[in-house]
Amino acid sequence: MKKILTIIGARPQFIKAAAVSSALRQAGLNEILVHTGQHYDANMSDIFFDQLNLQTPQYHLGIGSGSHGYQTGRALMELEPILEEVAPGGVLVYGDTNSTLAGALSAAKMHIPVAHIEAGLRSFNRQMPEEINRIMTDHIAQWLFAPTHTAVENLAAEGIIQHVFQTGDVMMDAIALYLEEARKHYPGLLNDMGTKAGNYILLTMHRAETTARPDQAISVLKALDTLKFKVILPVHPRLRPLIQGLHLKNVDCIDPLSYFEMLLIEESAYCIVTDSGGVQKEAAFFGVPCVTLRAETEWIETVESGWNQLVDLSPEALLKAIECFKKPETPMREYYGNGKARYIIADVLKNASNAN
Ligand code: UD1
Ligand code: UDP
């Protein structure tokens, strides 16, 4: 049996990989894990390995933070000898981070086929580093696991039609796998956090486009601070410098949360305000109104179904959206699959490995 080498490095990739790894194991595939080290704080990395029982990576590149060129370039250099040593039958990458691009590029250059989970997502905004990473990765991948019909169409529009599989979204698999466990693990979480279901707004901000516009980002924070709701803000390290010295009364700035805690805080929020990709979908899954601090989204189904509103970094539009949000009558879970994407992915990779 040929080996699959998975390359991950950032928070959401640990969550996705935890969900998919279990299915790869069940399919009898031998998965070797590489952590690039793009995220390295304990609460951005270790906590997910521990909580989600993700195997300890066989290789840790220790890349850390830096410019796009530094992160991608160093990962490329470090990955080459590992790929040579392991000689996997395929390389698996997730999403659109610098770790994704480095993983895909190093494998493709060594003629190792690449499998891309979350293929075909587009914001059509090439100012976003993630958009460049996604396009490049999709165009060198051998197997493209697209979460939605829209993603399949996006790929077709770029001439990519072979080996494209509409799987559903692996984040739904993660919710299906871990929600009950999260509830058991933290029965009194809201109480411990000094709040109640429906009494707070959950806020996350971490995108480069957000922190690159500090004045607007701060005006959004100040606008939220005027609301009668408590605002819970688990602070991504990219946001830390921006909030330092701000005197916010109602915005509770806390350390990044574990995945279990995050699911529970999302589920009971009055509303979620975010610029995160994963959090937009989780809000829709839980039927919690979402307001997205971006001008566009890759997850357009959340907007089309009425569960998500895009306001960019406009405080006025944000406050209006929160005040006037009308929940649609239909839930929107079905757009992102039935929480079984991992089995389709494992099946395709197993068949490919048998064929080799
Ligand atoms: C990265 C991804 C983004 C993804 C996000 C998930 C790219 C281009 N961006 O953004 O698509 O949505 O991860 O969270 O790959 N830092 C720490 N400790 C850490 C990690 C980061 O302090 O463990 C700080 C450093 O100052 C660093 C900054 O956060 O410069 C940004 O980290 P980086 O990995 O470059 O990008 P993210 O914003 O995390
Ligand atoms: N998340 C988490 N703790 C936090 C913030 C987010 O576990 O403090 C989870 C969140 O529930 C989702 C994923 O991390 O599953 C989203 O990651 P992030 O927002 O960093 O990146 P994106 O999805 O935008 O790439």
Side-chain angles (χ1 to χ4, degrees), residues 24-53:
L24 297 181
R25 253 194 320 276
Q26 279 171 37
L29 290 162
N30 177 10
E31 184 184 36
I32 317 288
L33 203 59
V34 178
H35 188 328
T36 64
Q38 178 172 347
H39 285 175
Y40 45 86
D41 289 350
N43 54 21
M44 293 295 289
S45 176
D46 296 358
I47 194 172
F48 299 97
F49 285 80
D50 296 343
Q51 190 170 69
L52 309 178
N53 281 325

Side-chain angles (χ1 to χ4, degrees), residues 167-178:
T167 57
D169 179 17
V170 295
M171 294 300 265
M172 297 300 122
D173 290 46
I175 298 177
L177 275 168
Y178 299 118

Side-chain angles (χ1 to χ4, degrees), residues 333-345:
R333 297 178 182 194
E334 66 275 15
Y335 284 103
Y336 295 121
N338 55 8
K340 297 202 161 111
R342 64 192 182 283
Y343 297 119
I344 303 174
I345 294 165

